[in-house]
Amino acid sequence: MEALAKVRNLRSRAPLFLVVATTGALIFLVAGLLWSDYREQLRNAESITRHLAALAASRLETRIRQIEAGLLTISSEIPKTALATGDAGRHRDRIGSLLPAHLAELVGARGLHICNADGVVVYSSNAETGDTVSVAERHYFQQLREAPLPQTVFSPVLTSRFSGAEVMVAARGLRDENGAFLGVVFGALDIADWQRQLADTGVEKRAAVVLKRTDNHAPVLLQQGDSTGGHEEFGSAKLFVESVATLTKAGGGGQAAESTYPFYIVAGLNRHDVLGGWLARVSLSGGVVLVVVFLACGLVARLRRMRQREVSILGDVVLSELQFSDLAKLVPVGICRLDASGRCIFANDCLATMLGCTSGDLIGREWSAIASRDARGTEGVESPGESVVLGVSEYQLHGPNGGSFHVIGESRVECGADGAARGYVVALTDISRQKRAEAELSRAKFEAEQANKAKARFLAVASHDLRQPIQAINLFKDALIRAGLTREQENIARLLSQSVASLSELLYSLLDFSKLDAGMVQPQKRPVAIEQIFRSVDDAFSSIAQQRALRFKFFYPFKELVVCTDPGLLLGVLRNLIDNAFKYTKSGGVLVGVRGREGRFVIQVWDTGIGLPEGVGEQIFEECFQLGNPSRDRARGIGIGLSIARRTARLLGGEILYRSREGRGSVFEISLPSSVIVDGVRGAVSLVDAKGDENATVPDYSIFSGWRIVVVEDDPVVAKSIELSLQALNMEVDVFCSAEEAMASPRLLGGDFYISDYLLPGENGIRLLEVIQNRSSSPIRAILMTGATSPDRQKAIRSQRWRVLYKPADLSLILSIMNDVVRAEALQNSGAAA
């Protein structure tokens, strides 16, 4: 009540004349500042335009002086007889080398030319220019022909007949000792270079600079900022402040017309650009003054009403305190109020129940004794000197049985009239059940991820053991075919080959899928020509198209297009899409094309097959999803090809999309970022790598007849298959099951060719071949066979010197690589002999 009495005794003692005097002084001060600012804006604008005009004139003077000096030098070096009729051929070589040399010294010049008295260009710095170009109708030629003395003239801006670019010609007449007109030497000044010179002057966004001629005041070049309004006519009517600078000759000093060039620079700013900011400040200042006046007038009335409001506010504060206490007792959230030092001054019943005590037990306790902060859940900031966190944070509270539980707390600071912290309010919610659920989910997710990674690693690492039997089957099949079979046996062998091919395709699909899951596939990007990719695809599928009487075409309008990607992965994706197209196309054909779309690089595969029904959507990219194959025909795969293709495309930074109409056909496209496109074929590499060409023809293996082949293979079945296949071709084969056995044998050295597995007991195949090479007196021929696909082993294999063959491989591929090694050796020997 005593405070309310003091409020009632408040009186406003601010005199009205003080308000009026203060307002008048403010208006006078603002007006003076605005006038001073106006004069400063004009001085700054004049300084800017003078600087820009002088700087632009200085830069362009340098270009003009260079071309004028160059023309004068050339005119003094040209023999007078060089322009005589019929003498051009005799002087062509000398002058033809003279002009390019001078042109190289002239910055911004596009060409130097010399014409005779008839205006026909007889000498030019452009090698492709003939003698059919005439400049007789040009004004500068006619002007120099009529001039009594040699001088330099400048043409208006025109289109060059030599380069097609916009240029301005600087020309100088050639006369003999008697003053007879012999011709003109002239040079083309690149207008684009002058434009860059004006741009390099640092023209601000609000300024404009123009180059004009002094004879007709026609603009030659215009450089303007964004805010100049795009002047179509650059004149003083649109400019508020402008400066002019003439282009003087060296040493001219501006005393005579001959000491200046026929150009001048105008740099200017319009009224809005000069005074736009000042006018805005005037408007703002006027508004501020008006606001101050209105505020001053309302100040007295407002002070009179403050007494009643003070009484009302004090009553509301008392009522608010009572309401807070009642609400804190009812809500199911623990609420604690702390003073500035962090001691509890209020706690509701819910918080006391959480801690197993009464509200009175918490009064006076420090916050750090009530709760300990969990730093992992902190999203706020600590208050100065205390452990209270402003914002949202997680805390640990100690329960009545000695245990602890998690709560999430939201803290707010209470400030006094001076802005200092007066205390804090903390609301706590029990999240123990949520924490337990999160821990269980995290543990289950971790276990699932570990199981999935273990499965993927198992399939990826087991690829070597899975490839071994298929390698043996392939070679046994080749040996069987060469054993002189009957017709019925040949049919059985053909069916066996088809079964092996299906098994290999199934194995490759499963292994590729597992390697993608394990993250073992990393793109090795390099430049490769699109034409080479399409040729490889054509080699693989053209025979299939002929067998099925289908059209198979390619469309790539940019023949020299090069894409920076992993060619092996991209070819795998393309082969998958094209193979599906042929599988489901009975008539018509397949088209493979490349195009650009919205900044991306797109390869499309079109077919006229059965198409896809509506509603399939993204299901087609799911694992083991197939349409129209209820009997699970193995010839149509197992339904993971498109899933592998999409995941591979995403590794390359792209995506696979499709459109289809049932009964009409489909189009699948690989969309890659435009950043992977490189113009031109320079730097592109061949697609043929260490894996060999799957479609390579069988080489002439008669050259290997009688050769001794050393085979080191720890798998006895694979070793036997290689031995039988090579012996069928009249080769002598020595087989060793380990590196130690091979190195201990006296028959190791002297072999014509060595075939070694990479994974051997003890020493690996690379170190074995190194030992053989060190013991041999001459370079050995060798193939390293492997089924290992892990990134570490792939890196080690690629770094060695011998050819690598990936299992499973048939006999024709082994013979093809052997033939390549022998051919490369022959080429190297012939080159050394030369």
Side-chain angles (χ1 to χ4, degrees), residues 531-540 571 575 687 695:
E531 184 177 8
Q532 291 187 8
I533 293 179
F534 281 5
R535 286 186 184 277
S536 179
V537 171
D538 183 46
D539 292 340
L571 272 174
R575 286 171 177 165
L687 290 181
N695 304 286

Side-chain angles (χ1 to χ4, degrees), residues 806-824:
Y806 290 87
K807 299 178 181 179
D810 54 18
L811 178 61
S812 62
L813 188 53
I814 295 175
L815 295 175
S816 176
I817 294 183
M818 290 176 61
N819 192 60
D820 291 343
V821 172
V822 173
R823 186 182 305 168

Side-chain angles (χ1 to χ4, degrees), residues 5 7 47 68 84 87 96 109 132 135 167 242-243 277 302 322 373 412 507 522 624 672 727 754 759 782 823:
V7 171
S47 176
E68 186 178 31
D87 287 347
T132 57
V135 295
V167 298
E242 67 177 20
S243 298
R302 190 172 183 84
L322 294 175
R373 179 167 56 90
R412 295 290 181 269
L507 172 64
Q522 296 297 329
C624 301
L672 298 173
Q727 285 177 347
Y754 293 87
L759 293 178
R823 186 182 305 168

Side-chain angles (χ1 to χ4, degrees), residues 4 6-12 298-314:
L4 293 177
K6 291 182 179 179
V7 171
R8 293 191 184 96
N9 293 329
L10 290 176
R11 294 290 184 271
S12 175
L299 179 61
V300 175
R302 190 172 183 84
L303 289 175
R304 292 175 182 175
R305 294 192 297 268
M306 286 187 65
R307 287 177 299 172
Q308 293 83 9
R309 293 189 63 184
E310 288 288 345
V311 175
S312 177
I313 290 174
L314 290 176

Side-chain angles (χ1 to χ4, degrees), residues 159-477:
T159 301
S160 173
R161 294 178 178 176
F162 300 93
S163 62
E166 288 191 346
V167 298
M168 182 172 65
V169 174
R172 185 174 182 84
L174 300 174
R175 296 181 179 274
D176 59 11
E177 295 79 358
N178 300 323
F181 180 70
L182 298 178
V184 172
V185 55
F186 61 96
L189 299 177
D190 191 0
I191 293 300
D193 176 71
W194 284 28
Q195 190 77 34
R196 289 190 295 270
Q197 292 300 312
L198 289 183
D200 291 342
T201 58
V203 177
E204 299 181 358
K205 291 185 176 180
R206 56 196 181 98
V209 179
V210 68
L211 174 68
K212 293 186 176 182
R213 296 185 65 91
T214 56
D215 49 1
N216 55 8
H217 302 286
V220 177
L221 293 174
L222 173 63
Q223 179 68 28
Q224 57 187 14
D226 298 337
S227 63
T228 54
H231 299 302
E232 295 181 359
E233 296 180 0
F234 190 82
S236 59
K238 292 188 176 182
L239 298 176
F240 183 64
V241 176
E242 67 177 20
S243 298
V244 177
T246 59
L247 275 67
T248 61
K249 299 182 179 180
Q255 298 302 321
E258 290 76 8
S259 63
T260 60
Y261 292 108
F263 305 101
Y264 64 95
I265 295 289
V266 179
L269 299 167
N270 59 33
R271 180 182 297 274
H272 175 73
D273 293 331
V274 176
L275 299 180
W278 182 81
L279 292 175
R281 289 191 290 276
V282 169
S283 301
L284 179 62
S285 301
V288 171
V289 170
L290 291 177
V291 170
V292 171
V293 170
F294 281 112
L295 290 177
C297 294
L299 179 61
V300 175
R302 190 172 183 84
L303 289 175
R304 292 175 182 175
R305 294 192 297 268
M306 286 187 65
R307 287 177 299 172
Q308 293 83 9
R309 293 189 63 184
E310 288 288 345
V311 175
S312 177
I313 290 174
L314 290 176
D316 291 341
V317 169
V318 174
L319 181 61
S320 177
E321 292 284 349
L322 294 175
Q323 290 176 345
F324 174 80
S325 299
D326 295 338
L327 180 62
K329 294 177 181 179
L330 296 176
V331 295
V333 176
I335 297 178
C336 179
R337 171 174 275 176
L338 311 173
D339 60 16
S341 62
R343 292 183 177 275
C344 178
I345 57 177
F346 171 82
N348 67 346
D349 296 338
C350 182
L351 178 59
T353 302
M354 288 182 185
L355 298 175
C357 59
T358 63
S359 301
D361 296 336
L362 298 176
I363 303 301
R365 294 175 60 180
E366 293 186 357
W367 174 249
S368 58
I370 298 175
S372 59
R373 179 167 56 90
D374 187 352
R376 294 172 298 175
T378 300
E379 296 181 8
V381 294
E382 292 188 5
S383 61
E386 301 294 339
S387 59
V388 180
V389 177
L390 305 181
V392 179
S393 179
E394 290 186 12
Y395 297 92
Q396 260 190 333
L397 301 185
H398 302 287
N401 299 326
S404 62
F405 58 94
H406 288 271
V407 296
I408 186 168
E410 184 174 357
S411 307
R412 295 290 181 269
V413 64
E414 294 180 331
C415 298
D418 57 354
R422 192 178 59 175
Y424 308 93
V425 176
V426 184
L428 303 172
T429 304
D430 189 355
I431 58 171
S432 298
R433 183 177 300 176
Q434 177 184 347
K435 281 290 185 180
R436 288 193 296 270
E438 289 179 358
E440 293 175 359
L441 287 175
S442 298
R443 184 169 54 256
K445 179 182 178 183
F446 176 77
E447 292 174 355
E449 289 176 349
Q450 291 301 312
N452 188 50
K453 290 180 179 179
K455 179 263 297 182
R457 283 196 300 268
F458 168 75
L459 288 176
V461 173
S463 64
H464 176 268
D465 296 331
L466 293 174
R467 293 172 189 265
Q468 290 287 72
I470 299 181
Q471 167 74 24
I473 294 173
N474 274 328
L475 294 176
F476 280 132
K477 177 231 355 171

Side-chain angles (χ1 to χ4, degrees), residues 92-93 95-97 99-101 103 110-113 121-133 162-163:
R92 188 172 303 278
D93 293 339
I95 299 180
S97 61
L99 294 181
L103 178 63
R110 273 192 168 269
L112 293 173
H113 316 279
V121 176
V122 292
Y123 304 106
S124 174
S125 60
N126 296 339
E128 68 275 9
T129 302
D131 57 357
T132 57
V133 179
F162 300 93
S163 62

